[in-house]
Amino acid sequence: MGTTASHLGKDLLSEYQELTFLTKQEILLAHKRFAELLTKEEKELPNIRISMERFLDLPELKSNPFRQRICHVFSTSESKDGSLTFEDFLDLLSAFSDSATLEIKSHYAFRIFDFDEDGTLNCGDLEKLVNCLTGETDDTRLTTEEMRQLISNILEESDIDKDGTVNLSEFQHVISRSPDFISSFKIVL
Amino acid sequence: MSTACEPLVGSTMPLSTAKRHKSVRKNSRRIYSAYQDRQQGSSDDNDKEDEHVDSNDPEEMFQNIQYQKEIIANIRTRPWPMRRKLKVLKQAREIVLRYEGRLTRTRGYQTAGADLLKKVSRLLYNTLVLFIPWEVRIKKIESHFGSGVASYFIFLRWLFGINIVLTVMTGAFIVLPELLAGAPFGTTRSKTIPNEHLASAQDLDTIWSLGGYLQYSVLFYGYYGRVRKIGSAGYRLPLAYFLVGMAVFAYSFIILLRKMAKNSRLSLASASDENFTFCWRIFCAWDYLIGNPEAAESKGAAIVNNIREAIVEEQEKKKDTSLAVLISLRILANILVLLSLAGSIYIIYFVVDRSQKLEQEKPELTLWEKNEVSVVVSLITMIAPSAFELVAQLEMYHPRTSLRFQLARVLVLYLGNLYSLIIALLDKVNSMSSAVPTNSGNRSGSSSFLATISQPLEGSISTRISEYGNSTTATITAVLDIASTGKSTSKINETSLFERNTRSQQDQCWETYVGQEMLKLSIIDMIFTVGSILLIDFIRGLVVRYLSDCCCWDLESKFPEYGEFKIAENVLHLIYNQGMIWMGAFFSPCLPAFNVLKLIGLMYLRSWAVLTCNVPHQQVFRASRSNNFYLAMLLFMLFLCMLPTIFAIVRYKPSQHCGPFSGQEKIYDIVSETVASDFPLWFSQVMGYITSPIVVLPALLLLFMLIYYLQAIARSLKFTNNQLRMQLQTERTEDKKKVFQMAAVRLQAPEEAVDRQSDLLESDMESQEAAAHTPSPQWNGNVRNFQSPLRHGNSIHTVTQSAAGLDLDRGCVAGSVASPMVTNLPKQIRGHVPNRTTPFLGGPRGTCRSKSYHHMAYNPQAVYSGHIQCEPVCRKPMCSFHPVEPARGVSAQSCGGCRGHTTRYLIVNEHVPREKLVRSATRIPRHYLMEEPAEILELYPRTFQHYTRRTTRHPSQPPPPHSSQQQLSEEEGGGEEQGEEGSRRLSLEKAPRPSSLSNLLQPAHFFIGDCVERHRSMAKDSNTSRGRYEAQEDDEDDNDDDDDDGELKWQGLESYSGFQANEKGAEPLVVRTRRRIPTSGKHYPSLGRVRPMETYTKPKMKQKRENPVTESDSSSEQQNSSADQRMQASRNKEHESNRRRGKLAKKSLKQDLI
């Protein structure tokens, strides 16, 4: 396919532009950044995967509480280890780019928040989500009582069908009303 | 449930039933596997859809290509992994390429051109991105501090863009022409520095206060010549000056409004009544752009605070606290704020006043005295916000509200500053332009009076005289002013002052003065901004960072901390700054250019400061939410800043000796003058008409009407919008409620079923009787019962998908629930068929089923449960269609058993596309499938039996057993659908035989019933097979049965013909029937027979027969009776559905028959 890590084919480049929301410069920059994560011999291999650990060193992801989830969601790895190919990486950047649509952003956001990957955000997911946001230290963490109330409030607002979980369409409904989701669900290299 | 049911059933049944159950289970397993396959198939659907493009029809081809192109165009919006997108893209492209050639050549060229265009535009876009100023810088900031901080810089950049345009406008149309073609410096009075100032013209402090050479330069209004046309091309500078001055405002308005409209379109969804506070706080809390660990930390802290706050708020919502103290504190705070606002306004006014006095009293002013005004204003704008912040802490508002208060107060403060400044300036202008002390006395009282008097008397008398005329007009206006304001003082003084004033007027050019002040203010403001950034942010940052080690407390986290980047206040500051520009732009054409420089500097300085020594504001001011907020404030500012300029233009007379409009009565006279003198006569006439009240008033009226109309439309749209939303909400909630009710009823169903069994029994009996005598009435009754489910059906099917999980679980429960009824079976059976010697397998089950069935029908509460049940049932049949012969039995059962249900289901699903049905069917988890059949079985027999038996029975023609057997063997032989079909055909060929006929009919019926479900072929197969089986069974079971079969066949023939005859009759509802398991075939109630009879064609016949049968043939087994009931029930149900679908059914029927 011409995707050795050190070289990006011209056709491929234009196809990537077609398939993502990225500009040429952004794709090239992404490619450069991706190549930086590789060792020398790896650069010659086509379709190399970068392990999640190495990937999380990127400063753009480093402080993101959902970094692992992001990797997992965008990873096409068979073994579910969160490793990313360059194409996965482009997918990630495309979804997080400026011009990506709300729909696609919310779709991926939903998947990122869906920790157990069962297709809905249930209480467990929400709890993990909140914990990710607040951090795990004792003074920031919510008490169980707070957590319970918070989750019940969230469900009260968003769970339209009252099945105790937030599904994708409910999630998108909520998100689409949010004034600043689009502007904050972005990652810029 | 089949497992749960089995023991019970088994105990009361012969061995054959057990066998049958086994086969059922086997079959269900098959169904499941089939379903699995199906699922896989459906998942591949998308891929396949892209591929099949094999048609030579150009139209179709074209459409396909369009479709593929759509795919290509939209592919990036699909959340697929790249690999898949690549694949699909390739496929789509291939297809487009392959087939497009076949279409016209021009189309090929078109696409080639489009491709090229796309490439070029992409290239352009790529290069354009490079030219967006500070993109990289802003992205960097964004990735460090998040979108909030970035929004400030984006806003700054946007303002920068506006100012660029303004600069270009003024530069190209005013400054450059004046420089190139205007009279050079020193040629006219207005372009010459007065002698007495010449000495100091190059002094630093003069320059600093924008006097000297600067004052007599293109920077200010006064420099521009009054010559109507300049240069060889005859450029009309004064006109251009005026038009550009107006265009600056017009452009700003347009661009602002457009931006706001765009923003509000983007955020159209932020309806105020939808409140997702918590969700947003969680789902949208994280700013994914944050890459700086410190920023991430503070963001994390902010989120925690935010969440906690929300929780606390929520908790406190419930308890309302009496807050006398708080309220008094807030009142106090507001008083303080008001006081400080008033104070700042007063100070500004006082300073301006004083500066005027000083100017007039002292020939030489110190640096401080010259810049007093600007410095004071800047100081106030810097200090007051902090003071407000302190005051705001008193109020103890929620941070968000306090932020809003803060913003509002700061905005008011800025506006107040600007306004008091401009008013004071205009006051001065007043005194200058009209040269009447009393006028200015309006506000500054005697001071200005003194000022005018103290003006040095200079200049040549000749000039004075030349200007005499002008100044008289000035005095006249002044007099008018006085009269109008009711200040009739010192009229006498006028004349005495007059001469002196004329002199002062010559040098004093009030437009230049205003421009000077604004520019000065802008410069000082810039200096203060830079100073505050350096001092407050940078030095503080340095101190905190390097002294924290040698200090006894932690500087970084306690007192001085790092400076916060206060987005809101900074944005307000930008707005304030822009307001100054707008205010002064008319009087100082180079102000936008200066502002451009200022903004560039600010951009670099700010971004540097933010990156090096600031931490993000704790209070997150969200980017996009604030977007329109900023813009709204900016718009407000623009409007308010435009007012003084417009006021000055309209109200005051332009200076007599300087500027492009000197010598005119009003500035805007230039336009009318140009129109009058330089345009053809007709134009001025037209203009005259247009500006006459005759045109203007109607136009205004029209505008008002238009506005009103548009507003009305907007209101109605809003209203409908709200209604739709409400409707959506209620529908959703109601659907959900229904599902829950159904679920609840389902759970209760078992108990209720048991409780009511006796009732049911009775009712069953009654209904049976009724059916026997007068089928139609009963139907009606049944129909009524079913109506409610039907009605709900539509809404429910939407719900089912999401609720599928729940339903399924409950469905199982309910299914299992049904089994308990079996215990009561014997009674019922007895009731129905007292004479029966051996309880039929089908019989007991049938009763069970019928019970549950009736239960549903009779139980208003249970309606929902019934409904639920039918859903699963419906799905089953679909699944079952595909399975191979062995599965046939099951499928048949399910179909037949469901009959009653199915019909309902059909109705429900009328609107649902076939695919959906199939999918939903396939989705059913295994246990469901397995269990359902059993349930169905139960339902089955009872109704069927009655019907068939009775009718069939009396004819008593023993059918040739071998024929049926033959069929059987045939069917068995054909293990697959095709095989079945083949067998069916065979049987069709055999049509002459009664049995085969009946078979034929059955399929048809089935179709009619099931055509709705669209799985005809499968259904047919199963039906036919059933029919045959039934025949066989009957044979095997008893002779009587055989006889019945024969009858059936006969009837079948009849019905068949009748059927054909009255196609409307498609109502042959009952087709459903008996499912036959090849192996256990014996005990099958001959549903097949039943069906034909039921066929609508011969309702009467049937009825007649039935009556005799039932009465005479009471001995006939349960089967019959149950079958009858069954039939009736199903008929009732089908009745409606069939009617609706009559045509469809007919068609399908015909097809099948053929």
Side-chain angles (χ1 to χ4, degrees):
Chain A
M1 291 181 52
T3 14
T4 59
S6 58
H7 172 70
L8 201 57
K10 214 174 178 186
D11 292 346
L12 215 49
L13 189 61
S14 78
E15 247 159 31
Y16 285 153
Q17 287 182 62
E18 194 83 42
L19 295 177
T20 62
F21 292 98
L22 305 172
T23 63
K24 190 174 162 192
Q25 287 93 337
E26 284 167 325
I27 292 175
L28 288 177
L29 177 63
H31 188 253
K32 199 176 123 218
R33 295 294 296 275
F34 190 78
E36 278 168 9
L37 293 173
L38 296 169
T39 60
K40 212 165 192 187
E41 54 272 21
E42 278 172 338
K43 284 186 184 178
E44 299 311 316
L45 300 171
N47 295 327
I48 187 76
R49 290 192 166 277
I50 292 191
S51 70
M52 184 167 75
E53 289 69 33
R54 250 196 288 171
F55 207 81
L56 294 182
D57 282 343
L58 281 180
E60 284 78 13
L61 284 177
K62 211 171 186 172
S63 38
N64 196 317
F66 303 108
R67 51 191 180 273
Q68 272 139 2
R69 282 299 305 155
I70 291 175
C71 283
H72 275 116
V73 164
F74 285 95
S75 167
T76 52
S77 160
E78 299 282 327
S79 52
K80 307 249 182 263
D81 58 356
S83 60
L84 296 173
T85 64
F86 177 58
E87 289 180 354
D88 298 338
F89 185 49
L90 280 187
D91 275 333
L92 189 154
L93 291 178
S94 172
F96 279 103
S97 75
D98 260 337
S99 43
T101 60
L102 174 69
E103 199 189 344
I104 206 161
K105 276 178 188 286
S106 54
H107 175 92
Y108 279 114
F110 182 79
R111 281 173 60 186
I112 288 170
F113 295 157
D114 185 12
F115 285 83
D116 54 11
E117 306 199 334
D118 63 350
T120 60
L121 302 184
N122 51 31
C123 293
D125 289 329
L126 291 176
E127 195 173 332
K128 275 187 197 157
L129 168 56
V130 175
N131 278 338
C132 266
L133 283 173
T134 58
E136 297 290 334
T137 54
D138 282 340
D139 56 327
T140 56
R141 199 180 191 148
L142 299 186
T143 64
T144 37
E145 176 58 21
E146 283 173 324
M147 185 67 85
R148 197 192 51 71
Q149 173 151 21
L150 181 64
I151 287 175
S152 74
N153 276 322
I154 289 172
L155 289 178
E156 197 177 299
E157 282 172 6
S158 60
D159 184 16
I160 295 163
D161 60 10
K162 304 291 173 212
D163 60 353
T165 63
V166 181
N167 60 34
L168 179 58
S169 50
E170 288 163 350
F171 181 77
Q172 285 181 329
H173 176 76
V174 171
I175 289 291
S176 67
R177 299 295 190 280
S178 162
D180 34 34
F181 174 74
I182 277 244
S183 61
S184 66
F185 195 76
K186 282 198 286 191
I187 288 180
V188 181
L189 277 188
Chain B
M1 136 164 190
S2 65
T3 48
C5 187
E6 208 176 344
L8 281 169
V9 177
S11 62
T12 56
M13 286 178 205
L15 202 103
S16 56
T17 27
K19 266 191 210 159
R20 202 221 222 147
H21 267 284
K22 261 180 218 156
S23 70
V24 167
R25 248 179 293 150
K26 217 193 283 163
N27 287 329
S28 64
R29 224 168 283 142
R30 290 235 181 163
I31 292 167
Y32 181 60
S33 65
Y35 138 71
Q36 273 184 324
D37 291 342
R38 208 114 216 288
Q39 215 177 22
Q40 283 173 357
S42 71
S43 73
D44 287 339
D45 271 356
N46 285 331
D47 296 322
K48 280 177 191 165
E49 272 169 28
D50 301 340
E51 284 170 26
H52 61 80
V53 196
D54 272 334
S55 145
N56 287 323
D57 176 19
E59 198 40 47
E60 211 172 298
M61 216 148 73
F62 183 64
Q63 277 181 358
N64 192 290
I65 288 175
Q66 296 297 67
Y67 174 63
Q68 299 296 343
K69 281 187 178 156
E70 234 165 68
I71 291 181
I72 295 177
N74 294 324
I75 194 164
R76 60 168 77 169
T77 62
R78 303 202 182 183
W80 296 339
M82 182 71 78
R83 189 62 54 76
R84 179 151 178 225
K85 282 195 277 189
L86 267 179
K87 211 176 95 195
V88 174
L89 179 71
K90 260 183 203 149
Q91 272 175 2
R93 275 199 181 145
E94 227 169 68
I95 288 166
V96 171
L97 271 186
R98 182 147 34 104
Y99 292 96
E100 206 156 40
R102 286 197 214 163
L103 299 171
T104 63
R105 198 166 270 267
T106 50
R107 242 176 218 162
Y109 288 135
Q110 277 173 6
T111 52
D115 275 355
L116 195 70
L117 201 71
K118 213 199 274 171
K119 255 178 206 163
V120 170
S121 65
R122 196 190 289 152
L123 194 76
L124 275 180
Y125 177 64
N126 281 341
T127 46
L128 256 183
V129 171
L130 286 180
F131 288 103
I132 298 177
W134 305 307
E135 183 72 5
V136 180
R137 188 173 283 264
I138 289 178
K139 288 252 159 97
K140 196 173 162 201
I141 293 168
E142 211 173 26
S143 68
H144 275 74
F145 288 92
S147 56
V149 175
S151 75
Y152 166 81
F153 288 96
I154 289 170
F155 185 66
L156 198 159
R157 185 173 65 184
W158 186 73
L159 280 182
F160 171 75
I162 288 184
N163 279 296
I164 291 266
V165 176
L166 296 187
T167 308
V168 168
M169 268 167 34
T170 55
F173 295 110
I174 304 179
V175 179
L176 272 186
E178 173 66 31
L179 280 179
L180 295 178
F185 179 74
T187 51
T188 61
R189 274 182 51 87
S190 66
K191 294 187 182 187
T192 317
I193 299 173
N195 287 329
E196 70 272 14
H197 290 153
L198 199 53
S200 65
Q202 282 177 315
D203 292 356
L204 189 62
D205 67 321
T206 318
I207 299 290
W208 177 245
S209 60
L210 302 174
Y213 284 105
L214 286 183
Q215 185 177 351
Y216 298 93
S217 72
V218 286
L219 273 181
F220 299 111
Y221 168 93
Y223 181 78
Y224 295 87
R226 54 177 296 184
V227 186
R228 286 289 163 263
K229 293 181 184 178
I230 57 169
S232 51
Y235 188 77
R236 296 165 198 280
L237 185 77
L239 182 66
Y241 195 101
F242 180 76
L243 290 183
V244 167
M246 295 300 105
V248 164
F249 290 117
Y251 172 78
S252 306
F253 260 117
I254 289 169
I255 200 96
L256 249 179
L257 288 174
R258 271 191 56 188
K259 178 96 175 167
M260 283 182 81
K262 199 172 142 206
N263 272 352
S264 64
R265 232 177 298 138
L266 282 181
S267 60
L268 73 169
S270 53
S272 52
D273 55 335
E274 296 214 37
N275 204 356
F276 299 110
T277 336
F278 283 94
C279 290
W280 288 345
R281 260 170 221 206
I282 300 301
F283 296 147
C284 312
W286 187 253
D287 194 335
Y288 290 75
L289 285 160
I290 292 178
N292 178 336
E294 280 176 27
E297 219 168 82
S298 64
K299 178 81 185 177
I303 290 173
V304 174
N305 284 339
N306 221 338
I307 294 172
R308 287 235 162 91
E309 255 166 36
I311 294 173
V312 171
E313 237 175 80
E314 186 65 21
Q315 284 166 347
E316 283 188 355
K317 248 183 216 168
K318 288 149 194 169
K319 44 179 174 176
D320 51 351
T321 45
S322 63
L323 302 165
V325 181
L326 196 57
I327 288 170
S328 56
L329 268 179
R330 283 177 187 176
I331 291 172
L332 179 70
N334 276 313
I335 289 173
L336 279 178
V337 168
L338 282 179
L339 278 182
S340 63
L341 278 179
S344 72
I345 289 172
Y346 174 75
I347 289 174
I348 290 173
Y349 201 85
F350 173 76
V351 168
V352 173
D353 204 22
R354 201 171 81 107
S355 77
Q356 280 175 321
K357 264 189 241 168
L358 283 176
E359 239 170 60
Q360 285 143 12
E361 284 162 1
K362 287 205 278 180
E364 280 304 308
L365 300 176
T366 61
L367 184 65
W368 162 249
E369 282 165 341
K370 277 181 183 167
N371 298 302
E372 205 178 26
V373 177
S374 329
V375 172
V376 166
V377 171
S378 298
L379 266 182
I380 289 175
T381 54
M382 267 188 59
I383 294 171
S386 314
F388 289 163
E389 208 165 311
L390 280 180
V391 170
Q393 285 181 354
L394 265 183
E395 296 178 300
M396 296 190 285
Y397 274 124
H398 182 277
R400 202 178 338 110
T401 14
S402 74
L403 182 71
R404 266 178 211 151
F405 269 90
Q406 170 80 357
L407 283 178
R409 283 166 188 166
V410 173
L411 187 67
V412 170
L413 173 83
Y414 285 165
L415 274 176
N417 288 352
L418 275 182
Y419 256 71
S420 51
L421 182 68
I422 200 76
I423 286 170
L425 286 179
L426 287 181
D427 244 4
K428 204 166 164 186
V429 166
N430 225 351
S431 67
M432 280 156 70
S433 74
S434 61
V436 178
T438 47
N439 223 1
S440 58
N442 250 339
R443 289 207 170 88
S444 51
S446 58
S447 65
S448 61
F449 182 67
L450 284 174
T452 41
I453 291 173
S454 64
Q455 290 287 347
L457 281 172
E458 284 162 329
S460 63
I461 297 168
S462 62
T463 48
R464 250 156 106 191
I465 295 167
S466 72
E467 281 146 21
Y468 190 83
N470 287 336
S471 36
T472 29
T473 51
T475 30
I476 290 164
T477 53
V479 173
L480 286 176
D481 286 341
I482 296 159
S484 65
T485 47
K487 293 224 170 191
S488 57
T489 49
S490 65
K491 264 187 198 171
I492 310 145
N493 288 337
E494 267 172 44
T495 41
S496 66
L497 293 171
F498 173 72
E499 289 181 1
R500 273 171 281 185
N501 287 332
T502 49
R503 180 63 277 227
S504 75
Q505 268 181 312
Q506 181 186 334
D507 289 333
Q508 290 292 329
C509 186
W510 64 263
E511 292 94 341
T512 298
Y513 177 72
V514 173
Q516 263 176 316
E517 284 302 317
M518 297 315 296
L519 187 57
K520 222 187 277 178
L521 186 63
S522 189
I523 290 171
I524 302 275
D525 178 73
M526 184 177 76
I527 289 168
F528 270 81
T529 311
V530 172
S532 74
I533 289 173
L534 286 180
L535 264 180
I536 298 184
D537 291 328
F538 183 60
I539 303 289
R540 179 168 159 194
L542 283 182
V543 168
V544 168
R545 174 141 300 175
Y546 295 107
L547 295 187
S548 62
D549 294 338
C550 47
C551 203
C552 46
W553 72 88
D554 187 5
L555 288 175
E556 290 192 10
S557 60
K558 293 263 174 63
F559 168 57
E561 299 181 64
Y562 290 108
E564 277 183 350
F565 185 77
K566 297 172 180 169
I567 303 165
E569 270 137 63
N570 278 306
V571 165
L572 267 184
H573 189 256
L574 276 184
I575 289 170
Y576 166 67
N577 179 49
Q578 191 60 37
M580 287 189 302
I581 303 304
W582 279 321
M583 214 177 242
F586 187 79
F587 305 111
S588 169
C590 288
L591 206 50
F594 170 77
N595 198 36
V596 166
L597 297 179
K598 182 177 174 182
L599 288 179
I600 291 175
L602 198 60
M603 171 63 116
Y604 283 103
L605 192 67
R606 263 282 176 233
S607 57
W608 166 78
V610 161
L611 287 175
T612 49
C613 44
N614 270 358
V615 292
H617 198 298
Q618 281 283 339
Q619 184 55 46
V620 189
F621 203 76
R622 288 309 188 82
S624 57
R625 191 179 309 165
S626 43
N627 257 347
N628 252 0
F629 183 65
Y630 298 163
L631 290 175
M633 286 195 296
L634 194 62
L635 188 70
F636 186 55
M637 201 66 166
L638 172 58
F639 179 71
L640 290 180
C641 290
M642 198 183 65
L643 279 186
T645 310
I646 301 287
F647 177 76
I649 288 173
V650 173
R651 172 75 175 73
Y652 295 113
K653 187 175 184 305
S655 306
Q656 291 302 315
H657 305 288
C658 61
F661 310 111
S662 52
Q664 285 172 226
E665 191 51 38
K666 296 280 181 215
I667 288 175
Y668 55 79
D669 281 346
I670 187 76
V671 177
S672 48
E673 190 182 290
T674 313
V675 167
S677 62
D678 295 329
F679 281 88
L681 190 65
W682 62 265
F683 189 80
S684 59
Q685 275 177 338
V686 169
M687 284 301 287
Y689 286 133
I690 288 178
T691 49
S692 69
I694 302 168
V695 178
V696 171
L697 278 183
L700 266 182
L701 267 180
L702 194 72
L703 270 182
F704 281 129
M705 271 153 53
L706 209 71
I707 290 173
Y708 181 77
Y709 173 70
L710 287 178
Q711 223 197 345
I713 284 184
R715 222 181 298 136
S716 70
L717 283 180
K718 215 179 205 172
F719 181 70
T720 45
N721 204 359
N722 271 338
Q723 270 199 329
L724 283 177
R725 191 183 296 138
M726 292 264 291
Q727 203 177 324
L728 244 170
Q729 275 175 351
T730 51
E731 247 172 49
R732 271 189 193 143
T733 50
E734 292 219 336
D735 284 351
K736 273 303 134 184
K737 263 185 215 156
K738 268 175 213 158
V739 169
F740 278 110
Q741 281 176 346
M742 287 191 292
V745 171
R746 269 215 153 197
L747 288 173
Q748 290 172 354
E751 297 153 28
E752 286 180 11
V754 174
D755 292 342
R756 306 203 178 187
Q757 260 185 348
S758 56
D759 296 349
L760 287 176
L761 197 73
E762 287 174 5
S763 62
D764 277 349
M765 304 257 299
E766 284 173 7
S767 65
Q768 280 178 4
E769 285 175 9
H773 296 287
T774 52
S776 54
Q778 210 204 347
W779 289 5
N780 292 338
N782 282 342
V783 170
R784 240 180 281 130
N785 291 334
F786 284 105
Q787 270 172 349
S788 55
L790 285 174
R791 245 180 276 130
H792 296 298
N794 283 329
S795 55
I796 286 167
H797 76 257
T798 56
V799 177
T800 48
Q801 280 191 345
S802 57
L806 278 179
D807 283 356
L808 289 177
D809 294 339
R810 266 144 216 185
C812 303
V813 178
S816 57
V817 170
S819 58
M821 296 181 207
V822 177
T823 51
N824 287 334
L825 289 180
K827 278 190 216 160
Q828 216 195 351
I829 293 162
R830 261 174 255 144
H832 288 301
V833 192
N835 294 337
R836 239 215 175 172
T837 48
T838 53
F840 233 41
L841 298 178
R845 273 182 229 136
T847 49
C848 271
R849 277 157 232 150
S850 66
K851 270 185 208 163
S852 65
Y853 180 77
H854 277 268
H855 169 65
M856 295 186 310
Y858 290 108
N859 255 353
Q861 296 168 334
V863 165
Y864 289 114
S865 72
H867 186 59
I868 290 179
Q869 285 171 345
C870 60
E871 279 181 330
V873 173
C874 303
R875 286 176 194 164
K876 259 183 285 156
M878 286 174 204
C879 303
S880 59
F881 292 126
H882 295 283
V884 227
E885 276 211 332
R888 240 184 278 145
V890 175
S891 64
Q893 282 178 350
S894 59
C895 291
C898 301
R899 242 325 162 63
H901 301 296
T902 32
T903 45
R904 272 185 265 155
Y905 182 67
L906 293 176
I907 292 167
V908 170
N909 278 325
E910 258 179 345
H911 308 286
V912 184
R914 179 193 296 185
E915 269 195 359
K916 255 194 186 173
L917 286 179
V918 176
R919 273 177 202 162
S920 62
T922 50
R923 250 180 251 147
I924 303 170
R926 156 176 257 156
H927 58 272
Y928 219 31
L929 293 175
M930 311 251 316
E931 286 160 19
E932 288 278 304
E935 226 188 350
I936 293 156
L937 284 177
E938 290 169 282
L939 280 173
Y940 221 128
R942 196 234 237 167
T943 33
F944 280 56
Q945 285 154 353
H946 282 299
Y947 221 112
T948 42
R949 282 311 135 73
R950 287 174 205 159
T951 47
T952 39
R953 279 280 158 106
H954 37 126
S956 79
Q957 267 194 2
H962 55 266
S963 69
S964 60
Q965 278 182 348
Q966 221 187 348
Q967 290 171 358
L968 216 172
S969 64
E970 280 174 4
E971 286 185 78
E972 283 176 350
E976 296 177 356
E977 297 174 10
Q978 293 173 351
E980 287 181 51
E981 283 189 34
S983 63
R984 201 192 62 179
R985 264 172 232 146
L986 276 176
S987 62
L988 281 170
E989 286 163 16
K990 290 170 192 169
R993 275 190 208 162
S995 61
S996 62
L997 265 182
S998 68
N999 285 338
L1000 280 173
L1001 286 175
Q1002 286 167 2
H1005 291 300
F1006 188 35
F1007 259 149
I1008 296 164
D1010 282 334
C1011 64
V1012 188
E1013 289 168 335
R1014 292 131 201 170
H1015 296 274
R1016 302 164 201 159
S1017 61
M1018 313 305 253
K1020 290 173 212 164
D1021 294 336
S1022 57
N1023 279 338
T1024 49
S1025 62
R1026 275 179 233 146
R1028 290 165 213 155
Y1029 281 120
E1030 288 157 15
Q1032 210 196 359
E1033 290 169 54
D1034 291 341
D1035 293 344
E1036 287 180 5
D1037 286 347
D1038 11 293
N1039 294 330
D1040 290 342
D1041 279 344
D1042 287 348
D1043 293 350
D1044 290 345
D1045 275 351
E1047 285 180 5
L1048 262 180
K1049 288 158 197 163
W1050 282 113
Q1051 283 185 345
L1053 275 172
E1054 290 170 3
S1055 62
Y1056 182 68
S1057 57
F1059 196 9
Q1060 282 179 333
N1062 57 347
E1063 294 192 345
K1064 281 184 187 173
E1067 309 179 359
L1069 322 167
V1070 189
V1071 181
R1072 71 217 11 355
T1073 34
R1074 320 0 264 293
R1075 40 352 247 309
R1076 224 344 125 143
I1077 298 162
T1079 48
S1080 64
K1082 294 157 198 170
H1083 290 281
Y1084 264 76
S1086 57
L1087 289 176
R1089 305 155 206 158
V1090 174
R1091 289 159 224 151
M1093 331 235 348
E1094 282 172 342
T1095 46
Y1096 212 130
T1097 50
K1098 308 254 170 180
K1100 281 189 181 180
M1101 269 185 51
K1102 286 180 211 161
Q1103 288 171 15
K1104 284 175 199 165
R1105 283 181 190 171
E1106 284 172 6
N1107 293 340
V1109 172
T1110 43
E1111 286 163 89
S1112 66
D1113 232 61
S1114 62
S1115 62
S1116 64
E1117 317 75 342
Q1118 307 168 318
Q1119 289 180 346
N1120 290 338
S1121 62
S1122 67
D1124 279 351
Q1125 282 185 344
R1126 220 287 185 207
M1127 301 283 306
Q1128 289 164 356
S1130 61
R1131 266 196 210 163
N1132 299 334
K1133 295 162 210 163
E1134 285 176 349
H1135 203 56
E1136 282 192 0
S1137 65
N1138 278 339
R1139 240 185 260 143
R1140 289 182 204 165
R1141 265 154 233 166
K1143 284 191 180 180
L1144 250 186
K1146 277 177 236 156
K1147 278 183 197 167
S1148 60
L1149 193 119
K1150 278 182 199 165
Q1151 287 176 355
D1152 294 347
L1153 287 175
I1154 290 159

